Amino acid sequence: MNVIRTVKELRQAVADAKAKGLTVGLVPTMGALHAGHVSLIDRARRECEFVVVSDFVNPTQFNNKEDLVTYPRTEAADCEKMEAAGVDVAFIPTVEEIYPEPDTRVFDLGPVAEVMEGAMRPGHFNGVAQIVSKLFAIVEPDKAYFGEKDFQQIAVIRRMVELEGFNLEIVDCPIMRESDGLAMSSRNVRLDAEHRALAPEIHKVLEKSLAYAADHTVSETERFVVETINSTGDLETEYYQIVDALTMQPADPSAQPGKGMVGCVTVYCGGVRLIDNIKY
Ligand code: PAF
């Protein structure tokens, strides 16, 4: 595996691969790699002949400074995992390399970016669009891989791709879970033992909501999820919203949850902000 830290060298490595006729897959990450990331890399490895993984904690997508400072950084362990997964290039740039000047671009991401995470984390999705568009422009991958844990992020990235006219396939990959159901996340390492034991309740309640939804409306199901999660120890729901899986717009509150809808949740668990979702 080639560890590359500059844009210039990355462009060259990708150009060499393309000159050999290889298809290029990109897996954008912020490092702190876990089995969820490895599943994205494995999929890229199966589908593409040259796999680039970016490992970069992107400051422009953090609307909370403390979250940026405390975000786990585990470069050596990440490199071992990437090497073992057969990555061709690990792109690990500095902030100055990616942003030699402040990125002032504002993307017209529209309604997909205005709800849920967009409403709770002002500027977050614009920052995601900035870094992902830079990576797409540098690597020009045939395919790029994203995990469905960040369900809304995928919709926002698709919108950015449409706006910028990138020619690539966005591949969304299923959520990977711990054996107790907790969605894998780099933030899970911040949970202390007590909160780590509580956190799987989030997925359990989402699963229960599937049965509940069979004879309840969208708004009743949303209330059921929020109240059930909040009644568990130290869990506090920030939002639970059932939305159209493509547009991210809130489902009709009086409809019954069903095909084409996804419920997205954010929960504070001992100060750690966890997200998860479920398809109806
Ligand atoms: O999902 C993430 O880890 C990040 O938002 C991404 C897509 C790598 C951009 O920094």
Side-chain angles (χ1 to χ4, degrees):
M1 182 176 80
N2 194 0
V3 177
I4 289 181
R5 296 185 190 274
T6 67
V7 169
K8 191 173 169 211
E9 284 169 284
L10 178 59
R11 279 192 203 280
Q12 191 56 57
V14 172
D16 292 347
K18 287 187 178 173
K20 290 184 201 144
L22 304 181
T23 54
V24 177
L26 172 68
V27 184
T29 82
M30 296 207 297
L33 300 186
H34 49 67
H37 296 111
V38 174
S39 76
L40 304 183
I41 298 171
D42 287 345
R43 173 109 181 244
R45 192 62 287 168
R46 287 197 299 276
E47 297 183 354
C48 303
E49 291 154 328
F50 189 79
V51 175
V52 178
V53 178
S54 61
D55 184 328
F56 176 66
V57 181
N58 172 41
T60 71
Q61 71 188 77
F62 284 82
N63 57 318
N64 175 334
K65 284 275 166 289
E66 200 195 321
D67 193 22
L68 172 60
V69 172
T70 57
Y71 199 86
R73 287 162 171 86
T74 57
E75 186 185 311
D78 291 349
C79 283
E80 278 174 26
K81 288 183 183 131
M82 287 190 267
E83 179 101 58
V87 168
D88 295 292
V89 167
F91 178 51
I92 314 181
T94 60
V95 173
E96 295 70 34
E97 180 67 19
I98 293 294
Y99 299 112
E101 289 142 31
D103 191 339
T104 54
R105 290 175 299 157
V106 177
F107 292 80
D108 176 18
L109 298 169
V112 280
E114 283 162 11
V115 293
M116 300 190 291
E117 292 301 278
M120 296 297 160
R121 303 180 66 189
H124 166 65
F125 283 133
N126 197 63
V128 170
Q130 288 174 339
I131 183 61
V132 175
S133 63
K134 273 181 187 270
L135 292 169
F136 285 179
I138 299 165
V139 177
E140 296 186 58
D142 297 287
K143 295 184 179 201
Y145 296 80
F146 296 91
E148 284 187 343
K149 184 176 72 67
D150 297 290
F151 201 87
Q152 189 180 4
Q153 172 172 273
I154 299 180
V156 170
I157 289 169
R158 287 189 195 282
R159 165 77 181 155
M160 180 279 289
V161 164
E162 191 183 283
L163 283 173
E164 300 294 296
F166 287 116
N167 180 21
L168 82 166
E169 185 187 335
I170 301 294
V171 183
D172 41 345
C173 305
I175 300 177
M176 295 295 285
R177 298 186 180 278
E178 303 291 352
S179 56
D180 56 14
L182 175 63
M184 289 185 182
S185 163
S186 302
R187 289 188 169 87
N188 291 353
V189 295
R190 286 205 216 141
L191 295 166
D192 61 25
E194 182 198 342
H195 292 96
R196 175 64 189 79
L198 275 180
E201 192 61 22
I202 301 167
H203 176 58
K204 286 197 189 104
V205 175
L206 293 184
E207 289 229 293
K208 279 186 202 152
S209 83
L210 294 179
Y212 185 90
D215 49 9
H216 291 89
T217 64
V218 162
S219 68
E220 287 165 344
T221 307
E222 288 173 341
R223 200 173 322 122
F224 167 79
V225 168
V226 172
E227 288 177 1
T228 316
I229 291 178
N230 289 355
S231 68
T232 310
D234 196 18
L235 298 183
E236 195 180 329
T237 309
E238 186 176 51
Y239 64 78
Y240 181 61
Q241 193 143 33
I242 299 177
V243 298
D244 179 285
L246 292 176
T247 65
M248 298 294 118
Q249 298 313 290
D252 174 356
S254 60
Q256 198 192 325
K259 211 171 156 40
M261 293 184 202
V262 61
C264 300
V265 75
T266 299
V267 178
Y268 280 95
C269 180
V272 182
R273 189 173 185 274
L274 300 175
I275 70 172
D276 203 344
N277 60 74
I278 196 145
K279 290 175 187 165
Y280 286 93

